[in-house]
Amino acid sequence: MSAAEGSDNEGLLTIDELASAVGMTVRTTRYYATLGLIPQPIRRGRIAYYDEGHKARLEMVRALQDHGFTLQAIEGYMGGLPAEITVDELVLRRAMLIPWAPQAREELSKAKLEALAGRKLTASDLETLVAMRAIEASGRSWVPQPAFRIGIDLLGLDIPLDSIVSAGEAIHEHISVLARELTAIMKTQVLEPFRSGQHTPEEARAFEETVARLRQLTVEAVVVEFQRTANDLITGSLVRPAAGDA
């Protein structure tokens, strides 16, 4: 390769380098390319190269996968992106897709689910785990959710399962409201102000890392605040009213 050719290819990636950069196999990367999830490569003679735009689109595909989107849904979403969309815009869109608690979606047979749980699971156990949102039914398979280990531990407690499910429903109801409010704040007060300015792809990627860290700290803050409030309620219930305060 001549010095001129090396300069022309600066910043470009081969299919192997692109796959490695996004954490995919070359086979999967090629398959996604055939589906049109990324544009045609840049040709330099017989060699195909890929740039930051290709990489950003594949990273978007990974983010959608992490959220449980089917391949068909991903094709629809990617097909709806503007052809002229920039790398920094792709990065910012992906920032809103960063999972609050990343977990790869994996469908397991009952035997593999029991192996993961470390115990046998009866039909009643499975129904309870579904009700607790610890697992999700998917045809004849099961998909563990972030609360899977908690659900398994709760099954081992000698308390009525109905009370566990009721507590889970209360948590889900209030957390759903909180999640909507926090997501709206993140979008309107963090993402959109940043989006309104001009930024380089590097600045957008740094912002994406900031959003990921902010979400982690937000989850920790929610846990700490719940613990503080619960402790205050317990302490308050133990304080005896003074004489004449009844």
Side-chain angles (χ1 to χ4, degrees), residues 47-83:
I47 303 177
Y49 288 100
Y50 303 83
D51 60 14
E52 279 293 312
H54 294 95
K55 180 171 176 283
R57 283 178 177 264
L58 273 184
E59 288 172 335
M60 176 65 81
V61 171
R62 287 297 302 270
L64 292 167
Q65 288 176 324
D66 289 343
H67 272 274
F69 281 71
T70 64
L71 185 55
Q72 182 179 6
I74 292 174
E75 288 184 77
Y77 181 88
M78 298 301 293
L81 293 175

Side-chain angles (χ1 to χ4, degrees), residues 3-238:
E5 289 174 328
S7 177
D8 289 343
N9 297 336
E10 186 176 354
L12 298 180
L13 305 170
T14 63
I15 186 70
D16 298 76
E17 292 169 334
L18 176 64
S20 176
V22 297
M24 292 182 181
T25 65
V26 172
R27 181 178 180 180
T28 298
T29 303
R30 290 187 189 280
Y31 176 58
Y32 287 166
T34 64
L35 295 178
L37 298 183
I38 58 175
Q40 290 296 311
I42 302 164
R43 293 286 177 179
R44 295 283 190 271
R46 295 184 177 182
I47 303 177
Y49 288 100
Y50 303 83
D51 60 14
E52 279 293 312
H54 294 95
K55 180 171 176 283
R57 283 178 177 264
L58 273 184
E59 288 172 335
M60 176 65 81
V61 171
R62 287 297 302 270
L64 292 167
Q65 288 176 324
D66 289 343
H67 272 274
F69 281 71
T70 64
L71 185 55
Q72 182 179 6
I74 292 174
E75 288 184 77
Y77 181 88
M78 298 301 293
L81 293 175
E84 67 279 5
I85 192 168
T86 61
V87 172
D88 58 316
E89 177 62 21
L90 280 168
V91 173
L92 292 178
R93 288 194 182 204
R94 194 173 70 246
M96 284 304 295
L97 286 171
I98 297 173
W100 289 80
Q103 176 171 310
R105 180 181 175 86
E106 184 179 14
E107 295 191 5
L108 303 177
S109 65
K110 184 171 181 289
K112 290 185 177 180
L113 188 70
E114 290 177 331
L116 183 63
R119 56 169 288 175
K120 290 290 185 181
L121 298 172
T122 65
S124 177
D125 290 337
L126 293 173
E127 289 178 4
T128 301
L129 290 171
V130 169
M132 288 192 290
R133 296 179 175 82
I135 61 173
E136 178 184 296
S138 178
R140 302 181 66 179
S141 302
W142 307 93
V143 182
Q145 300 299 300
F148 176 72
R149 181 47 54 188
I150 297 173
I152 294 299
D153 289 344
L154 286 172
L155 288 179
L157 297 181
D158 188 20
I159 57 177
L161 293 181
D162 286 348
S163 64
I164 295 176
V165 173
S166 296
E169 290 174 348
I171 292 172
H172 178 71
E173 177 184 352
H174 295 287
I175 287 297
S176 294
V177 175
L178 179 60
R180 283 194 293 271
E181 292 181 356
L182 290 177
T183 299
I185 291 171
M186 189 81 70
K187 180 179 179 181
T188 60
Q189 299 186 30
V190 178
L191 181 63
E192 290 182 355
F194 183 88
R195 201 180 210 170
S196 64
Q198 296 295 319
H199 305 283
T200 65
E202 291 73 22
E203 290 172 333
R205 290 185 186 279
F207 178 74
E208 181 184 20
E209 294 178 1
T210 298
V211 170
R213 179 58 177 155
L214 178 59
R215 288 187 172 185
Q216 179 183 354
L217 292 173
T218 300
V219 171
E220 293 175 8
V222 169
V223 173
V224 169
E225 181 60 21
F226 172 81
Q227 292 172 334
R228 185 194 66 78
T229 302
N231 287 337
D232 287 348
L233 288 172
I234 293 171
T235 301
S237 69
L238 295 177

